[in-house]
Amino acid sequence: MGVNLLAANTHNTSMHMTGSGIYAPEAVKVYHYDMETESGQLMLSELKSQPRREPTYPAVVDWGAYAESIKPFSSEQSHFPGMIYFDEFTFTELKRNTGNYTVCQKDLCCHLTYKMSEKRTDEVYALGAFDGLHTVEGQYYLQVCTLLKCQTTDLTTCGQPVGSAFTKFEEFSLSGTFGTSYVFPQLILSGSQLAPERHYEVSRDGRLRSRSGALLPVLVMALYGRVFEKDPPRLGQGPGKLQ
């Protein structure tokens, strides 16, 4: 959205509240993530006061452009359900060290092209899609495409918390047929570390893709979309509002 974001979190590991961060439109400036201790850390960073006026201000992204321009990748793939934070995703397992996969739910189709350095037998990855209303601790409509490591090799654990990964991805491209311009990309590496910006890019046609050729131990890759117009009416808003 082209703004600076300062997020000061309560550090309570039992509730998965794990630190703080300072983020600018062009880069993650500094953050602290710690699931091992309850100690805190002061975050300091120098920020542009008006980032929209800077030449580094990110270009406008048409988040559904690429995904809507291609045909879904066809393969003999099976789908299965999995839960992420009380939302039921539709998943498909990545069965090879390289490939093209598509998984859909309602109006959202997520496309993934990837290449692993090797397909390990002790780690399982899945591509997932969610298009629906989130209803726990608030109600808001989401469209999410995600590539993630399953907690174990049992597919029923896909979507459950996991902290480390040994599988290395050489290439990846993730996109989705989003019906919103509010999509937030994320790339988290083993140890729940944010990937440095030099390792990935967001293209103007809506692809989150690799660019450095580095071998990245991916934990979670996601495009997290918010469809505000599909949110349920709030008290005092919508058709029932008193004039």
Side-chain angles (χ1 to χ4, degrees), residues 13-34:
T13 58
S14 66
M15 299 180 68
H16 301 284
M17 299 175 178
T18 55
S20 306
I22 300 176
Y23 310 90
E26 75 279 2
V28 174
K29 291 296 186 177
V30 61
Y31 72 98
H32 176 65
Y33 176 92
D34 179 10

Side-chain angles (χ1 to χ4, degrees), residues 17 22 41 49 54 60 63 68 79 98 140 145 147 155 177-178 209 220 232 237 243:
M17 299 175 178
I22 300 176
Q41 186 167 324
S49 60
E54 296 297 318
V60 175
W63 284 103
E68 291 169 356
H79 300 98
T98 183
Y140 40 91
C145 292
L147 162 70
L155 295 181
T177 57
F178 291 97
R209 58 188 184 184
V220 180
Q237 296 179 344
Q243 301 298 320

Side-chain angles (χ1 to χ4, degrees), residues 6-237:
L6 283 67
N9 204 354
T10 301
H11 196 171
N12 184 336
T13 58
S14 66
M15 299 180 68
H16 301 284
M17 299 175 178
T18 55
S20 306
I22 300 176
Y23 310 90
E26 75 279 2
V28 174
K29 291 296 186 177
V30 61
Y31 72 98
H32 176 65
Y33 176 92
D34 179 10
M35 272 291 287
E36 305 302 322
T37 73
E38 298 295 326
S39 62
Q41 186 167 324
L42 177 66
M43 302 280 96
L44 298 171
S45 182
E46 186 171 307
L47 298 170
K48 303 290 185 182
S49 60
Q50 295 179 306
R52 289 176 182 267
R53 296 185 179 181
E54 296 297 318
T56 54
Y57 181 71
V60 175
V61 175
D62 184 345
W63 284 103
Y66 175 78
E68 291 169 356
S69 71
I70 66 171
K71 293 182 179 180
F73 298 124
S74 60
S75 61
E76 298 293 328
Q77 61 191 63
S78 58
H79 300 98
F80 59 93
M83 302 296 290
I84 302 179
Y85 192 46
F86 306 101
D87 296 326
E88 185 174 295
F89 280 63
T90 300
F91 284 111
T92 187
E93 180 187 356
L94 307 189
K95 295 185 176 181
R96 302 181 301 275
N97 68 324
T98 183
N100 303 297
Y101 285 86
T102 293
V103 64
C104 301
Q105 188 180 107
K106 296 181 183 176
D107 295 331
L108 179 67
C109 283
C110 303
H111 305 308
L112 174 71
T113 298
Y114 71 94
K115 181 180 180 182
M116 302 172 179
S117 58
E118 66 169 330
K119 179 68 174 74
R120 297 175 63 102
T121 58
D122 59 345
E123 292 188 328
V124 168
Y125 281 79
L127 173 66
F130 177 74
D131 185 352
L133 183 67
H134 178 80
T135 58
V136 177
E137 295 183 0
Q139 294 192 358
Y140 40 91
Y141 203 97
L142 302 176
Q143 287 187 324
V144 183
C145 292
T146 184
L147 162 70
L148 52 77
K149 180 194 168 186
C150 303
Q151 191 178 71
T152 71
T153 55
D154 182 348
L155 295 181
T156 62
T157 67
C158 295
Q160 296 181 16
V162 59
S164 62
F166 297 95
T167 299
K168 305 290 179 62
F169 283 77
E170 296 181 22
E171 301 172 7
F172 56 80
S173 174
L174 179 66
S175 62
T177 57
F178 291 97
T180 176
S181 59
Y182 300 106
V183 178
F184 306 91
Q186 68 177 31
L187 179 56
I188 302 174
L189 306 181
S190 184
S192 296
Q193 300 298 306
L194 296 179
E197 285 80 5
R198 67 181 181 276
H199 292 319
Y200 68 92
E201 65 181 359
V202 174
S203 62
R204 297 187 68 174
D205 60 3
R207 283 175 286 174
L208 172 61
R209 58 188 184 184
S210 55
R211 69 175 179 183
S212 67
L215 300 179
L216 301 179
V218 173
L219 204 59
V220 180
M221 182 189 310
L223 296 173
Y224 185 95
R226 277 286 282 115
V227 189
F228 292 100
E229 59 268 28
K230 288 190 176 183
D231 285 0
R234 289 179 171 81
L235 187 63
Q237 296 179 344

